[in-house]
């Protein structure tokens, strides 16, 4: 297992201001996250609104984060594209920018089976010298769930370094953990289920990629430390607290999935002063009015504002 | 919280022989489960093939289990029907047979919204004096997921006593646990995710309804005891072992969901001598040949055979 | 092909009054439908709220419709239950009541594969002397879609007499028509897609089971006659008109699927005087207020009120 | 309605040879389609394996098709990207290459609601002077279905020129046709359901985008002509024939969706001599062996080989 990529690695949000990427806020987010104990940064993930960014914007954000991080922690870069050939183009650019690892999903828009998906990851790995993380996020990808056996096989062969599991299927994650252990633990297994990290760490997870980590990084860092110390009651206590803050994503009503989740994170971060505005990428409108107030009220009750 | 219904409450399989219910095996299953430390028995659940049984068969099984249990542990009876009026008929029969509690799903075949589902549970509760458990199993019910807020409201008002959560959504279960705690813990929250019980108990679950508990009840009883003692590393160790046995459900290839899951349980139980045959209800054919051997081999490796 | 079951066979709604079935209105609906040219009646379908009725209510409605129809047209009775054994009980009762045919879905709540579903239909057919229609309605049945090859095989062997296709998948229906033709047209193929009947009849459908036929039976009868005369432009013209009326189902906002569809039909029928009230089965609340007015306004614009 | 875009407009497949785009075959496909009466060509659609092509490849194919078409028919270019900003980049390149229209989907990977999707189309239209077609293909896009009311509104405002409906939902298409008619028919409504075009044209569709049109363009041209002449029985007869050929997509077993559909088209085209090989874009493997023979046998029975 590549231990550089264990622990808490939040998917960094992309701050906007007047419709443009706000690089000053990017720097502040990076410092905020590293200063609060994050073990790595994941740029270009769903929470980073990667799907909304042009290639130039993706590159600019990755470059800025990598530069400002300056080696303090590893930076993973999402290379989110529909199929192998297109992912490889993204991967090569990420490598040139100095990424420490890349994160790719299975193909989307395309309709492939598991054998084709396996070949997809092989082609990406062959095209770059960077560690490759497979990103399992069926809710965005037509329901496609990566097969545990395939992932462990790719891990054993050195094709894939780790998994970011945002599948919502903890039973499958648990099984992946055990298959991985039996194979000698080649894969770094990171859960994206930020509200059940306690159980996932108890069960053998190697870390977490929490979107809400943008808001409360310190709590995740503390949870990770408690887990390392096997103080599970403390782990659970911290998770409970995090989940109270995570309720911000349930405040927005009648809005899209991205507006609710990322919108709530950004709104709390704006209130915390980490980013200048809670703007979202077009065409998603920022939270405002009572919704915004509701989010901030929860953040305040957690002592974050 | 009604503490009678915490701990390990397996959904009892329904043994068959030559196409008929094998009541002798029913008795043996009941004794096996109680002798191995189960805190209750759930008759008429999905693992009990309730959907395949006529009303007369449902009654006969419930009656036999209740009689043979003879008060040693509480018996919960599934009242699985499409809508309120039909569930209520089942509930009244279960009550007459001496059930200690009933377990009902949201409506199915019907297409209802959450307000109608809430009224559905209210009507059922009003029609019986028994404690009512809401059974959340979207995979069988067109994807309908019970809303946590509604469940806690019904718990607070005394309409619903507890939840059997087989939704596969542990993030939602975790949230339900916390909402329930805030409301004073009116609901007994039982997870049906038999492979991540360690995490669910650490996170505050009140128990588990494990189909695989038919095969390895003692392991679940031990896990529950370790959880009560807050020995979380031991809880996880036991869960790991259970999951190795649970691999039996992945042995059958190219078979239906019910054949794979319940079929594997019954095949292991037949090998253990708990039931006479691994027959399934029509039209599901029993596992046989290499598939059967594969299941038994795993059971043997766990020391169960 | 059994020609008794071609043409327009609406799924008869179940009228309620003060929470009880309103048998007087049942008679009026039957007469209204037969007087307006319906070729048969389907009792106990989704539009008949079959999932909400107890067995006693199902029997009472079927008995009343059969008696009042008095052989003027054939009466098909829905035998909607989760699995074979339970369907067979319903089928035997329907047979005893004098049904001309039965209509059964694939199993639900149970999780079966296509081989098991085929056996399911075989068992039902073997248990009754009545013609058996297979009812394909994935939207209520966890997405399960009946395979065309299987249906044609069952038709060729005389197991199944016809299909009621409410799958929403017209490409699949078209393919079924052609496979059926190649096999000598054993099956009566009825579409439940009431808004594209013109295309389905042009493509070779043998009839339609339109829920909205409860509201505008005459239009469907006229369309069927025009189709028999191969006056396709007239068929389309009539369909266009029907669809303007069918817009009533889009009036209710924020209500459940059953409330929107069946609720709108009943509301129009109440305004027409065919039934006494637009009550729905518990727990579905009748449309009222502006929603009701909106439905009636459309019905009025069609000259139905 | 922009009448340039009515009739039969097939999504042009992208031929490969030894892993590279085979431009010689591209020219042959273009001539084959135009010579057989196609009213337009759609480059960069799902059947063109657009998701598998790099931007450079997309441009090269579009450029070649546009050049070789040389104005004989209009060329529509798919601008398939995850969100507005990325689509706009594609659209500008398509415009520079001389496309006659662009075809865009709703956002994907992103999780948006219908209001955001509406803004998405507005932004694309504002960024180009080309006619914009909205491409509705839920099966590739997480199930998202474009709302008919929104589309007609965008049509009325001149934002969107037409729709390519590959939703599989003919009831919704029929409703869209009628809403469009009521609004003065601003939108060109093209169905992608190649097997029920008869019914869709009878019901008022303005044309079809048939993947199978790559194989049998002449039949679609004939069907379109018969529909213009309102010879509906002939339309149906031709559709029946087409569907017998379309059975090639059901020959491949155990392959991915893209391998089955596009793979079968390419295999028939190879046998016809229109393209040099039936290669697919990486990682999809070409059909071969018995599967290939099965496809060719059907094509032969249709007199295509």
């Amino acid at each position: 297992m590549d231990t550089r990529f264990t622990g808490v690695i939040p998917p960094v949000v992309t701050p906007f201001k007047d419709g443009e990427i706000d690089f000053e806020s990017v720097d502040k987010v990076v410092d905020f996250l590293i200063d609060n104990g994050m073990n790595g940064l994941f740029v270009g993930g769903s929470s980073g609104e990667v799907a909304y960014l042009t290639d130039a914007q993706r590159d600019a954000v990755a470059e800025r984060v990598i530069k400002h991080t300056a080696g303090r922690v590893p930076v993973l870069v999402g290379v989110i594209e529909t199929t192998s050939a297109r992912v490889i183009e993204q991967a090569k650019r990420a490598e040139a920018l100095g990424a420490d690892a890349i994160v790719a999903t299975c193909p989307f828009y395309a309709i492939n089976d598991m054998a084709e998906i396996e070949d997809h990851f092989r082609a990406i790995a062959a095209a770059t010298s960077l560690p490759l993380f497979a990103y399992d996020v069926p809710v965005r990808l037509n329901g496609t769930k990566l097969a545990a056996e395939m992932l462990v096989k790719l891990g054993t062969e050195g094709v894939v370094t780790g998994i970011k599991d945002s599948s919502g299927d903890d039973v499958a994650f648990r099984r992946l953990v055990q298959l991985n252990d039996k194979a000698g633990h080649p894969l770094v297994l990171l859960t994206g289920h930020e509200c059940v990290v306690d159980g996932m760490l108890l069960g053998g997870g190697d870390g977490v990629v929490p979107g809400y980590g943008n808001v409360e990084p310190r709590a995740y860092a503390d949870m990770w430390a408690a887990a390392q110390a096997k103080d599970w009651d403390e782990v659970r206590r911290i998770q409970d607290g995090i989940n109270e803050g995570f309720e911000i994503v349930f405040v927005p009503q009648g809005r899209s999935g991205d507006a609710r989740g990322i919108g709530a994170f950004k709104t709390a971060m704006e209130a915390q002063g980490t980013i200048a505005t809670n703007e979202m990428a077009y065409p998603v409108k920022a939270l405002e009015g009572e919704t915004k107030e509701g989010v901030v009220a929860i953040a305040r009750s957690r002592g974050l504002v």
Side-chain angles (χ1 to χ4, degrees), chain A residues 80-304:
Chain A
I80 306 301
E81 262 292 355
T82 50
T83 58
S84 318
R86 296 179 69 85
V87 172
I88 288 169
E89 290 190 340
Q90 303 270 337
K92 288 184 171 163
R93 295 208 320 279
E95 189 164 10
L97 292 169
D100 295 297
I102 52 172
V103 184
T105 68
C106 70
F108 51 98
Y109 193 93
I111 301 180
N112 295 130
D113 60 20
M114 212 48 65
E116 290 163 354
I117 291 171
E118 181 178 330
D119 284 345
H120 166 78
F121 285 119
R122 289 185 189 282
I124 299 166
T128 168
S129 63
L130 292 178
L132 168 63
F133 278 73
Y135 183 10
D136 196 16
V137 60
V139 71
R140 294 182 182 274
L141 302 179
N142 250 335
T144 305
K145 174 90 186 74
L146 301 179
E149 284 83 354
M150 177 196 70
L151 294 175
V152 172
K153 179 166 72 164
L154 291 176
T156 303
E157 298 181 17
V159 176
V160 166
T161 295
I163 310 300
K164 188 208 161 183
D165 184 330
S166 296
S167 69
D169 184 343
D170 291 323
V171 172
F173 184 72
R174 192 67 162 78
R175 185 162 182 259
L176 178 58
V177 165
Q178 287 187 252
L179 290 175
N180 191 43
D181 277 345
K182 277 196 186 163
H185 210 125
L187 294 167
V188 181
L189 298 179
L190 307 174
T191 179
H193 308 159
E194 42 211 325
C195 298
V196 291
V197 184
D198 50 357
M200 296 303 105
L201 294 181
L202 174 65
D206 300 308
V208 56
V209 183
Y212 183 68
N214 283 282
V215 179
E216 283 205 58
R218 176 55 61 190
Y220 281 103
D222 291 345
M223 180 162 54
W224 176 246
Q228 298 298 99
K230 293 189 172 294
D231 184 354
W232 298 112
D233 289 306
E234 175 69 1
V235 170
R236 188 238 163 140
R237 196 191 60 75
I238 297 171
Q239 181 72 68
D240 275 352
I242 285 172
N243 293 356
E244 287 185 18
F246 189 78
E247 287 286 310
I248 58 175
V249 310
F250 300 106
V251 172
Q253 299 288 321
R255 295 296 306 272
S256 70
D258 281 349
R260 284 201 304 270
I262 310 167
F265 297 156
K266 283 189 160 182
T267 298
M269 293 172 81
E270 182 198 45
Q272 290 172 293
T274 321
I275 60 178
T277 82
N278 68 343
E279 268 186 44
M280 303 279 293
Y282 186 88
V284 183
K285 294 192 171 66
L287 304 186
E288 56 181 10
E290 286 185 14
T291 301
K292 186 171 181 169
E293 287 166 25
V295 169
V296 174
I298 290 174
R300 187 172 296 121
S301 75
R302 284 286 294 160
L304 302 172

Side-chain angles (χ1 to χ4, degrees), chain A residues 5 9-15 21 23 26-27 29-30 33-34 40-51 53-70 73-80 90 94 97-104 133 135 164 209 214:
Chain A
F5 303 109
I9 304 174
V12 184
V13 303
T14 303
I21 292 168
F23 290 100
V26 169
D27 290 347
V29 173
V30 166
L33 295 173
I34 298 177
L41 299 178
F42 172 32
V43 187
S46 307
S47 295
E49 295 172 273
V50 64
L53 305 183
T54 64
D55 282 355
Q57 289 176 315
R58 291 180 182 193
D59 288 356
V61 172
E63 188 173 23
R64 184 77 171 220
V65 169
I66 291 166
K67 189 179 167 194
H68 197 72
T69 297
V73 296
V75 177
L76 298 79
V77 175
V79 290
I80 306 301
Q90 303 270 337
L97 292 169
D100 295 297
I102 52 172
V103 184
F133 278 73
Y135 183 10
K164 188 208 161 183
V209 183
N214 283 282

